[in-house]
Amino acid sequence: MNLLALLIGSVFAGSAYWAGSRASRTFRINRYGTRYRARVVSVTSRPVGDENRVEDTVRVRFEVADGPAVEADTSIALRGATGLGPGDPVEVAHLPRFPDKVVVLGFPHATGVGLLGYSCVLFAVMTVFFFWMAARIG
């Protein structure tokens, strides 16, 4: 029974950690990333939920001062239809640490995404700790 509880806790913790690391990466790119003017290469829309809502993933291309052109996708899907099309200019934030991801500025991505990310990581750590304690006690 204790092993099952530890396994369930690990699954919950892994899911929370995965979501939290994605959200905190987006927060770091948005906050500390270098701003560039970019051009939209493509926009991929996908339906979300039963309410006919969509999320757009935007692929952009931009020039960096000390290297070749960078082509990257948005770090997190943009809520709602953006109205962007290939060739449209946008401003993006980019960190070389995450070369294949950008944050498109001026569009709603996830308000409070940093807090979400760090709380998910904290939840993951606490879940593993409590299930580990339960396994030791029981």
Side-chain angles (χ1 to χ4, degrees):
M1 185 64 178
N2 291 339
L3 184 60
L4 180 62
L6 193 58
L7 180 64
I8 291 171
S10 298
V11 168
F12 280 124
S15 299
Y17 183 78
W18 178 79
S21 64
R22 281 183 47 136
S24 60
R25 174 188 63 198
T26 300
F27 176 74
R28 285 192 303 271
I29 293 171
N30 189 30
R31 184 141 198 208
Y32 304 113
T34 306
R35 280 23 182 183
Y36 294 101
R37 296 294 298 163
R39 292 266 177 210
V40 175
V41 174
S42 65
V43 178
T44 306
S45 295
R46 68 176 191 160
V48 177
D50 296 333
E51 302 167 359
N52 294 328
R53 293 181 304 146
V54 297
E55 287 183 345
D56 283 353
T57 301
V58 179
R59 185 161 188 81
V60 297
R61 183 178 177 85
F62 56 94
E63 303 286 332
V64 293
D66 59 346
V70 174
E71 197 167 303
D73 291 327
T74 49
S75 179
I76 200 164
L78 303 173
R79 287 183 270 158
T82 60
L84 293 173
D88 289 345
V90 291
E91 186 176 6
V92 298
H94 179 259
L95 276 175
R97 183 172 158 191
F98 307 111
D100 58 336
K101 299 295 179 189
V102 296
V103 171
V104 178
L105 304 173
F107 288 92
H109 42 89
T111 309
V113 76
L115 181 59
L116 167 71
Y118 296 122
S119 33
C120 284
V121 170
L122 178 63
F123 175 77
V125 170
M126 294 306 291
T127 300
V128 168
F129 174 74
F130 285 125
F131 276 103
W132 176 76
M133 287 299 288
R136 287 194 63 181
I137 292 172

